[in-house]
Amino acid sequence: MGLLTISPSPHDHSSESVPKLMYGVIIALLPAFLASVYFFGISTVIITVTAMVSCVIFEFLIQRYLMKEKPAISNGSAMVTGMLLAFCLPTNLPIWLVILGSFVAISVGKMSFGGLGNNPFNPALVGRVFLFISFPVQLTSWPEPGVNHFAYLDASTGATPLSIMKEGLKNRESISHILLDIPFYQDMFMGNMGGSAGEIAAAALLIGFAYLLIRKIITWHIPVSILLTVTIFTGIMWLIGPTSNPNPLFHLLSGGLMLGAIFMATDYVTSPMNIKGMWIYGVGIGIITVVIRIFGAYPEGVQFAILIMNAVTPIINKYVKPRRFGEEVSNG
Amino acid sequence: MSPIVLYTIISLSATGIAAAIILFIIAQRFKVIEDPITDLVEEALPGANCGGCGYAGCRNFAEACVKSDKLTKLFCPPGGNETMLEVATILGKEAVEKDPLVAVVRCSGSFAHRARVNQYDGAASCAIASSLYAGDTGCQYGCLSHGDCVRVCEFDAIHMNPETGLPEVVDEKCTACNACVEACPKDIIELRKKNKRDRKIFVSCINQDKGGIAKKSCSVACIGCGKCEKVCPHDAITIENFLAYIDPVKCKLCRKCVPECPTDAILEINFPPKKQKEEETKPDNNGETKVEPVETDKLGEESKSE
Amino acid sequence: MFKTFRPGGIHPSENKLTAGSTIEELPVPEQVSIPLNQHIGAAPKVLVERGDQVKVGQLIARGEGFISANIHSSVSGKVLKIAAVVDMSGYKRNAISIKVDGDEWVEEIDRSPELITEIALERQEIVQKINQSGIVGMGGATFPSHVKLSLPRGMKVKYLIVNGAECEPYLTSDHILMMEKADQILVGATIIMKALDVEKAFIGIENNKPDAIDHMSDRAQHYPGIEIQGLRVKYPQGGEKQLIKALINREVPSGGLPIDVGAVVFNVGTLFATYQAIQKNKPLFERVVTSTGKNLEKPGNFMVRIGTPISALIEACGGLPENTGKIISGGTMMGKALNSLEVPVIKGTSGLLVLPEAESRRKEMQHCIRCSKCITVCPMGLEPYLLMAFGERELFERMEEEKATDCMECGSCNYICPANRHLLDYIRLGKVEINKIRRLRKN
C-alpha cells in the first residue's frame, strides 16, 4: 500500500470530460455531414477533412512553438472548429482558402486569446467571416446540389434560396413569383438546395440537436430561443406584408439558421452561462439575424448575429445572474 | 485633386477638431485638483504596489504621507530608510528610522528530513491544503510546499527549491513587505532584523510538539531541549512550548548556540566558512564532533543523497 | 408521487454496497480516544483526570456555553491521558484516551430491548435531557441538538422535517436504522414534536430505499402527525435546505435558518439517539457506522462506540485491502479524507469508506471551457466557475457579493466539471476568508 491520498471532497467524479463533450459535438454533426455528402458528393469530404486537419495542425504548432505549452489537440476542440468552419463554407471553395480560413479561425479566433476557454468569439465564425469579407465572390458561389458527386472545383454553381429571395425582392418581384425559383419546403427541409456544406439539411441538423440534448451536451434554451424569435419576428413581418416578406417557415429552413442556432451559438466558450442569459442571447441573435436578412445588404445574417452577441456575452454574464436559492422568497 | 479626397480631408479634420474641443472641455470640467506634492512623493516610492505599508498601493501611501502630520506610523518596507528620508525631505517632516528586515523561512523539513506519510491531491495552494489537514508529514507545523509565499512575492525574492520542497529567500531582493508572512497559513515565515552581510542565526523550526514527537516526524526539528538557552550569553533565547526562539534584537550573532543544537535546528547563514568554525568548536570538542559546514551546503548534500 | 428539490442536483453512482447488511455490534476495542471537539461550538470542559476509573455512559466532559455538548465515556476503564491525537480535522487535537477494562455501564441506563412509547417528560425537561445526553446532529454537521430545540422568542415551528434521504453515496447507516429501529425513530420524532410543540412531521426518504419507505409508512400509521414522503433520488437531497424545499416547497432565505420558514430538521440517527436518551436514559456514546468499500472483504453496518479507532472498524471488515489509496470518513461526495488509521469515530461519523488507489486521485485539471454545467447543477443557484476564478485571484470580497457563503459544499460542481477543475477547493477557501473579513468588519 502506498501513501494515503488526502484531497478535499468530493472524492468522486462524473465520467464527463472535455474530449467526450467535443467528440459528442462531432458525432452530432455527422448526420449533417452525411446529408451534405449525399447532395454535394466528394467535395464536402475534401473541404471538411482539409479544415479539420489544418485546424488541428495549426493549433498544435501554435501551442507547441508559440505558446510553449503542452499541446492539447487531443481534446477535440480544434476538430470541432474545423468541422464547423467547413460546414459554413461552399463546397467548391479552393483548398488554399479553406486552409487560410482554418488558420485565421485558430490563430486569430482562438489562440490569440489564450486558447480554449478564453476566446470571446466563436473561432469557426471568425474564420468564416474573415473569408466572407475577404473573398466575397468565392464565398457566395455555391454548387448545385445533387448534380455531380465527383466534381470539386468545377461544379456548376447556383444560388441559395436566401440570395434568390434577396435578389428577387430587390427587383421588386412578388413573393409568389420568387418562390417559383426556390425549392419546395420539403426539399429545403431535407437539404436539397444550394448552400454551404453543412447548413442545407435542416432534418439532419435537428437529428444532431436531439443527440446533443440526449447526451446533455447542451441545453435546449439557446437554439429554441433563437428559432422562436426568428419565427415570431418574421411571422410579424409576414403578417404585415405578405407580398413583400416570405413566411417564417422559409426563414427557418433557409441559410445557416439551423446550423448557427444549434451548433454555432451554443459554443460553450462564447455563450452565456445561465438560463436567463441564454434567453437574452438567443433572442438577440434571432432579432439581429432577421434584421440583417430583411433590412440588410446581405442575404444571410446568422454568423454576424452570433458574433455580435458573442461580444455581448461577457456583459450578460456579468449582469444576468442565475436565481439564487432563497433569493426571492415567496413562502406562504 | 479630386473632390472626394478634398471632402475626406475636410470632414476628417473637422471631426478631429470637434473631438479635440470636446475632450478639452471635459478635461477642464472634470479636472481633479490634487496636491502636486503627492506626485513627488509617489515618484520617490519604489512603485511596486506591494501593499507592504498597509495601503492598497503606492499612490494611496503617498496620499497618506501627505495628509498625516507625522510619519511615525508610515513606513515603506521595500524602500526602506532611504526612501522614507527622501519622502520626509519632500514633505519637510521628520522620518523615522527602522531597522531593515528580511524574511526568514523557519522550517528545514526538506524531503530528506521529513518522511512523507500522506500525499496531497487537490488545488495547489497552502491555504486550501492547511484547511484540510495538517500536512503530508507527521509535523503539523511545517511547510506545506505549495508555494503560496512564492506566488504573493512581488519582488521575485522567494523561490521554491524543488529538491527540498522548501521556499528560499533571496536576501538582496527581499524588501520585507510582509506579503509572504501573511500568505503563509502555518506562520513559518518571520521578518527578522537584517544584519551585516546578511548574516543570520535563527531556529529554523516552529514545531511545538514534545521533543520525542517532534523528532520522530522531522530529523531537524527543535525538541526544546534548552541547551541553546543555557549557552547563550545574551539571554536572547527563550523556550516556550518545547520550542526555542532567538530574539533577533538581543542576538549578537556569537554563534555559540549553533553547535549546541542536537538536531541542527539552529541555522547560521552567510558566515565565513569552516576555518573559523572549527576554531570555535574545538574548545568544547568531545571527540565526536561532526562539524557541519554552513547549513545551506548541508541541505544541498542531503537532498542529493535522497 | 415522489418529490424532489430544484434547482440543481446530480446523480452520482450510489454504490450502496451494505444496504442489506444488518447492524452488527462492533467489539469494544482495547483503547478509545474520545475527542473533545466532536461538535460545532465550544470545546467542553474535561471532568476526569489521568488515572480515573470511568463507566460506560459516565459524563467525562461538560459542554461550555450555549453551543456546546456533553461528552460521555463510551467504555469502562481507566483514563490513560488527555492529550492531542490526530482526529477528523487532520490536526492533532485534545482527546481523552481510555484504556478499556470490562464493560460496566452506568446503572441508570435501561438496557432492556422493549419499546417505550409513553413520553413521561415535559417540554422543558426533554430539551434539558437532550442537552445532558450530549446529542448532536448525527448526519454529519454535529450541531448540538438542544440548541435547535431552544427556539428564539416569538418563533413558531410548523413542521418537523426528518432527514432519511441519505443521498450520500455508499452510506447506509440511516437506511439500516430505519429498517431495524423504525419504532424508536418514530417515538424519537414524537418526542421532538412534543418538545417543539408541532403537529406535523415529514420524514423524507429517497426512493432508492423502497423497503425503508414501505416499512416506515407501515409503522408510522401508529404515530399521529407523522407522514412518510418518498423522494426522487437526487444528490444533495439530504441537505437541510434542499430537503425542506423538496418536502414543503419552501426556500430557506440566503443566510437564514430552517426556522425562518417554520421548519426544524433532524436526522433519523439523531431521533434514534433522542429516543434512547429520553426513554432509556442512555446518553450518546455509540452510533451506527457504515464501513464500506468495493475492495473490503465484508463491508457492513456496525454499532460502534465513540472513540473507537477506525482501524478496528476496518479490521472487522476483513482488514485493509492491498490497493487502498484513500480512506474517507463519510461518503464520496462530502466525506473527509483521513490521514491516519488511528482517527477515532466521533458522533458525526456516519460512514467509513475505503477507496482503491485507482479511484483516489483526481484527474488532471484543464482550462475552464465555460460549459456552465457547474451552474446547472448548483443547488444554491451559484456560479462556481466564477467563484473559483475570484478565489484563485484572492478577490474574496467579490466572492462575498456573489453569495459564496450560501455554498454548502455539496461538491456537485466539482463532480460534474468536465475540465476537472478544483471548484469547491477555492470556494471553501473563499468562505473561510470571507468569514475572516466579516469578523474584522465587526471589530
Side-chain angles (χ1 to χ4, degrees):
Chain A
M1 194 184 93
L3 299 178
L4 284 180
T5 302
I6 302 285
S7 55
S9 68
H11 308 285
D12 195 8
H13 194 271
S14 63
S15 55
E16 244 10 309
S17 71
V18 175
K20 258 183 142 176
L21 295 174
M22 293 299 169
Y23 293 123
V25 175
I26 292 177
I27 292 170
L29 282 166
L30 284 181
F33 177 71
L34 294 176
S36 180
V37 171
Y38 177 78
F39 289 111
F40 297 126
I42 191 94
S43 53
T44 300
V45 181
I46 293 174
I47 63 157
T48 310
V49 171
T50 309
M52 287 173 76
V53 170
S54 46
C55 277
V56 170
I57 291 175
F58 285 132
E59 177 153 324
F60 176 82
L61 292 176
I62 291 172
Q63 278 190 323
R64 181 79 179 72
Y65 295 104
L66 275 178
M67 299 169 74
K68 306 232 188 308
E69 58 183 40
K70 209 174 114 225
I73 48 167
S74 60
N75 68 20
S77 66
M79 275 187 247
V80 173
T81 303
M83 201 155 175
L84 284 175
L85 175 65
F87 273 26
C88 51
L89 298 176
T91 53
N92 57 356
L93 199 69
I95 275 197
W96 68 273
L97 274 180
V98 178
I99 296 175
L100 181 64
S102 307
F103 176 72
V104 173
I106 292 294
S107 65
V108 178
K110 189 171 172 191
M111 302 321 278
S112 63
F113 296 101
L116 180 65
N118 300 319
N119 46 309
F121 299 105
N122 187 328
L125 283 180
V126 171
R128 146 84 193 181
V129 166
F130 168 79
L131 291 177
F132 184 62
I133 291 170
S134 314
F135 305 93
V137 177
Q138 288 90 328
L139 265 283
T140 47
S141 64
W142 290 273
E144 297 256 9
V147 173
N148 190 341
H149 284 93
F150 297 97
Y152 168 41
L153 291 177
D154 53 352
S156 57
T157 59
T160 67
L162 274 176
S163 53
I164 297 170
M165 181 67 70
K166 194 101 199 171
E167 202 58 33
L169 289 174
K170 222 162 90 184
N171 299 336
R172 303 191 178 276
E173 293 174 46
S174 76
I175 288 280
S176 50
H177 191 250
I178 304 168
L179 280 175
L180 295 177
D181 295 336
I182 290 172
F184 294 121
Y185 289 132
Q186 56 267 41
D187 278 341
M188 287 171 72
F189 184 67
M190 297 313 293
N192 190 8
M193 60 178 180
S196 300
E199 70 182 28
I200 48 169
L205 291 165
L206 287 172
I207 294 172
F209 184 36
Y211 177 79
L212 290 179
L213 289 181
I214 292 167
R215 279 280 317 274
K216 289 189 177 167
I217 293 172
I218 59 167
T219 57
W220 54 269
H221 303 86
I222 292 177
V224 169
S225 58
I226 294 175
L227 298 178
L228 208 63
T229 310
V230 169
T231 311
I232 293 171
F233 194 178
T234 54
I236 293 168
M237 296 304 289
W238 180 56
L239 289 175
I240 294 170
T243 50
S244 54
N245 289 299
N247 66 23
L249 191 59
F250 172 82
H251 277 288
L252 284 182
L253 296 177
S254 61
L257 185 65
M258 284 283 174
L259 179 70
I262 297 170
F263 291 97
M264 306 277 198
T266 54
D267 172 29
Y268 284 148
V269 185
T270 55
S271 61
M273 303 281 284
N274 61 68
I275 288 165
K276 266 187 263 171
M278 286 175 185
W279 274 100
I280 296 173
Y281 174 81
V283 170
I285 290 176
I287 291 173
I288 298 172
T289 302
V290 179
V291 166
I292 294 176
R293 277 189 180 182
I294 295 181
F295 306 106
Y298 292 115
E300 175 57 305
V302 176
Q303 58 262 41
F304 295 110
I306 295 175
L307 284 176
I308 291 168
M309 289 312 286
N310 281 169
V312 182
T313 297
I315 301 176
I316 296 178
N317 277 338
K318 185 161 183 192
Y319 291 106
V320 181
K321 295 289 171 190
R323 202 190 82 84
R324 314 284 194 210
F325 186 91
E327 186 184 48
E328 323 141 1
V329 188
S330 57
N331 296 317
Chain B
M1 212 189 287
S2 81
I4 287 182
V5 176
L6 196 67
Y7 292 148
T8 312
I9 291 174
I10 291 171
S11 59
L12 278 177
S13 312
T15 321
I17 291 167
I21 292 169
I22 293 168
L23 276 174
F24 178 76
I25 292 168
I26 290 175
Q28 286 300 315
R29 216 24 225 284
F30 296 98
K31 201 175 178 181
V32 180
I33 297 154
E34 264 191 340
D35 200 340
I37 207 160
T38 317
D39 289 329
L40 286 175
V41 174
E42 194 186 356
E43 250 167 61
L45 297 173
N49 293 316
C50 67
C53 52
Y55 290 86
C58 293
R59 180 86 196 169
N60 307 60
F61 180 70
E63 281 164 10
C65 286
V66 174
K67 268 184 207 154
S68 69
D69 301 329
K70 283 179 193 164
L71 294 179
T72 39
K73 279 184 184 162
L74 297 162
F75 193 77
C76 170
N81 288 332
E82 266 174 58
T83 303
M84 286 316 291
L85 200 67
E86 210 176 316
V87 172
T89 29
I90 293 171
L91 296 172
K93 293 171 187 169
E94 212 165 304
V96 185
E97 286 232 353
K98 271 197 184 170
D99 286 333
L101 299 172
V102 67
V104 167
V105 179
R106 292 182 296 164
C107 178
S108 301
S110 62
F111 293 133
H113 291 136
R114 273 193 303 170
R116 292 299 191 252
V117 292
N118 295 120
Q119 51 186 350
Y120 176 72
D121 181 31
S125 150
C126 302
I128 291 172
S130 78
S131 68
L132 186 66
Y133 74 129
D136 276 345
T137 69
C139 171
Q140 62 176 334
Y141 302 93
C143 178
L144 294 167
S145 314
H146 299 304
D148 279 12
C149 48
V150 178
R151 273 191 293 279
V152 298
C153 185
E154 297 278 340
F155 304 95
D156 193 29
I158 189 161
H159 301 281
M160 197 52 80
N161 184 336
E163 281 174 15
T164 58
L166 295 171
E168 287 171 4
V169 180
V170 183
D171 287 357
E172 302 81 56
K173 288 185 180 172
C174 178
T175 59
C177 72
N178 212 37
C180 53
V181 178
E182 274 168 27
C184 182
K186 298 273 185 189
D187 291 329
I188 290 168
I189 305 175
E190 184 195 11
L191 294 183
R192 289 174 76 88
K193 197 177 92 183
K194 200 167 183 167
N195 296 305
K196 250 186 248 162
R197 269 166 269 169
D198 287 332
R199 288 177 174 180
K200 49 194 160 188
I201 292 181
F202 60 97
V203 180
S204 180
C205 183
I206 56 162
N207 190 322
Q208 299 184 1
D209 282 336
K210 276 182 194 159
I213 300 169
K215 178 79 183 159
K216 217 189 210 171
S217 54
C218 176
S219 64
V220 290
C222 171
I223 54 174
C225 65
K227 276 173 136 178
C228 50
E229 187 184 23
K230 277 177 207 133
V231 82
C232 181
H234 309 289
D235 283 340
I237 303 182
T238 47
I239 297 206
E240 211 175 305
N241 293 329
F242 315 101
L243 175 65
Y245 178 74
I246 303 178
D247 189 324
V249 182
K250 287 183 185 163
C251 177
K252 300 280 185 284
L253 302 179
C254 72
R255 302 165 79 188
K256 284 215 174 80
C257 53
V258 180
E260 285 300 317
C261 182
T263 56
D264 297 320
I266 302 179
L267 297 191
E268 48 170 12
I269 291 175
N270 292 329
F271 281 90
K274 298 158 204 169
K275 230 188 222 171
Q276 204 185 341
K277 180 156 185 181
E278 268 163 14
E279 283 166 17
E280 211 175 81
T281 44
K282 256 170 199 164
D284 48 41
N285 195 341
N286 300 333
E288 44 152 28
T289 2
K290 201 175 79 204
V291 180
E292 294 286 4
V294 181
E295 185 69 16
T296 39
D297 300 349
K298 198 193 72 183
L299 282 178
E301 270 169 35
E302 291 206 1
S303 51
K304 261 176 237 154
S305 69
E306 190 192 20
Chain C
M1 236 282 287
F2 296 121
K3 296 180 173 177
T4 192
F5 65 92
R6 284 187 67 200
I10 53 170
H11 296 95
S13 28
E14 291 168 15
N15 287 316
K16 305 268 192 188
L17 309 173
T18 51
S21 28
T22 50
I23 301 174
E24 203 179 312
E25 195 88 28
L26 189 78
V28 182
E30 285 174 13
Q31 188 186 326
V32 295
S33 311
I34 304 173
L36 294 176
N37 292 289
Q38 294 190 36
H39 49 261
I40 290 174
K45 188 173 166 243
V46 182
L47 301 176
V48 289
E49 272 174 21
R50 189 178 165 168
D52 284 1
Q53 284 288 337
V54 293
K55 288 181 191 171
V56 179
Q58 184 182 328
L59 185 68
I60 52 175
R62 177 174 291 128
E64 289 274 284
F66 183 52
I67 301 181
S68 189
N70 286 348
I71 289 174
H72 300 80
S73 176
S74 59
V75 293
S76 68
K78 200 163 96 185
V79 176
L80 274 183
K81 58 182 177 185
I82 296 152
V85 298
V86 175
D87 69 7
M88 271 268 293
S89 67
Y91 282 85
K92 285 179 192 161
R93 293 196 301 194
N94 272 341
I96 302 171
S97 298
I98 302 169
K99 175 100 182 129
V100 178
D101 180 17
D103 196 25
E104 193 186 337
W105 289 42
V106 173
E107 278 146 27
E108 292 88 54
I109 300 174
D110 174 6
R111 297 179 71 177
S112 66
E114 74 240 40
L115 184 77
I116 307 169
T117 48
E118 210 61 38
I119 303 160
L121 299 182
E122 282 311 306
R123 281 182 62 186
Q124 277 311 313
E125 290 169 326
I126 292 173
V127 178
Q128 217 169 39
K129 188 78 192 167
I130 285 175
N131 187 0
Q132 283 164 6
S133 306
I135 292 176
V136 299
M138 288 165 80
T142 64
F143 190 77
S145 297
H146 68 271
V147 183
K148 274 192 196 172
L149 295 177
S150 319
L151 299 176
R153 237 169 238 290
M155 285 282 196
K156 180 80 184 90
V157 185
K158 271 196 198 150
Y159 305 104
L160 169 66
I161 304 287
V162 180
N163 183 0
E166 199 159 55
C167 58
E168 183 76 41
Y170 284 98
L171 302 187
T172 58
S173 53
D174 288 351
H175 181 186
I176 207 69
L177 206 59
M178 288 189 284
M179 291 305 291
E180 294 189 12
K181 313 279 184 195
D183 278 296
Q184 285 88 333
I185 292 168
L186 291 165
V187 174
T190 315
I191 295 168
I192 300 291
M193 284 162 76
K194 185 173 181 187
L196 288 171
D197 193 19
V198 297
E199 305 285 306
K200 192 79 194 150
F202 290 102
I203 303 186
I205 305 171
E206 282 195 344
N207 63 356
N208 58 357
K209 297 178 267 291
D211 51 344
I213 298 177
D214 287 348
H215 184 58
M216 290 290 281
S217 307
D218 187 40
R219 297 308 309 159
Q221 290 167 6
H222 308 284
Y223 299 88
I226 302 180
E227 193 180 310
I228 310 294
Q229 176 65 55
L231 301 169
R232 209 158 67 229
V233 172
K234 187 154 84 170
Y235 177 86
Q237 195 125 246
E240 221 170 41
K241 295 181 177 182
Q242 276 60 42
L243 192 65
I244 293 172
K245 173 82 180 169
L247 285 176
I248 57 172
N249 196 24
R250 297 195 176 185
E251 287 189 12
V252 178
S254 165
L257 292 169
I259 188 83
D260 294 330
V261 293
V264 169
V265 183
F266 272 82
N267 178 274
V268 289
T270 319
L271 292 185
F272 178 61
T274 305
Y275 165 81
Q276 290 192 314
I278 306 291
Q279 307 294 62
K280 299 279 181 178
N281 222 348
K282 181 181 164 193
L284 178 54
F285 60 76
E286 60 179 0
R287 66 158 298 148
V288 181
V289 179
T290 303
S291 182
T292 182
K294 286 177 193 153
N295 294 80
L296 280 182
E297 224 171 275
K298 355 179 247 273
N301 300 302
F302 298 90
M303 185 63 88
V304 186
R305 302 284 174 91
I306 303 297
T308 306
I310 58 164
S311 54
L313 257 174
I314 291 172
E315 217 47 61
C317 296
L320 204 61
E322 196 47 37
N323 63 353
T324 301
K326 197 188 258 181
I327 298 176
I328 298 163
S329 164
T332 42
M333 292 308 295
M334 288 183 86
K336 184 148 171 133
L338 301 176
N339 57 356
S340 157
L341 285 173
E342 296 313 307
V343 171
V345 167
I346 59 169
K347 291 172 183 175
T349 312
S350 45
L352 183 72
L353 171 60
V354 177
L355 285 185
E357 261 162 23
E359 289 175 33
S360 51
R361 302 292 290 188
R362 286 185 177 182
K363 287 178 237 169
E364 199 191 342
M365 186 170 93
Q366 288 157 332
H367 286 296
C368 173
I369 57 166
R370 307 166 77 78
C371 66
S372 77
K373 284 185 190 293
C374 53
I375 299 176
T376 314
V377 300
C378 181
M380 300 308 293
L382 305 175
E383 296 166 286
Y385 84 98
L386 189 67
L387 295 175
M388 173 173 175
F390 286 151
E392 277 182 312
R393 290 161 184 75
E394 306 197 345
L395 300 168
F396 300 119
E397 266 146 15
R398 295 287 298 278
M399 282 182 92
E400 190 182 7
E401 286 164 25
E402 299 290 346
K403 301 267 184 205
T405 45
D406 278 0
C407 171
M408 51 152 176
E409 307 181 14
C410 68
S412 299
C413 48
N414 249 40
Y415 173 86
I416 207 76
C417 180
N420 309 315
R421 295 181 69 73
H422 309 315
L423 295 158
L424 182 54
D425 296 12
Y426 283 95
I427 299 174
R428 227 185 249 125
L429 172 70
K431 285 174 68 180
V432 173
E433 296 296 327
I434 290 167
N435 281 333
K436 276 189 205 161
I437 294 171
R438 284 185 177 169
R439 270 200 298 275
L440 275 179
R441 240 180 255 153
K442 262 185 200 165
N443 298 336

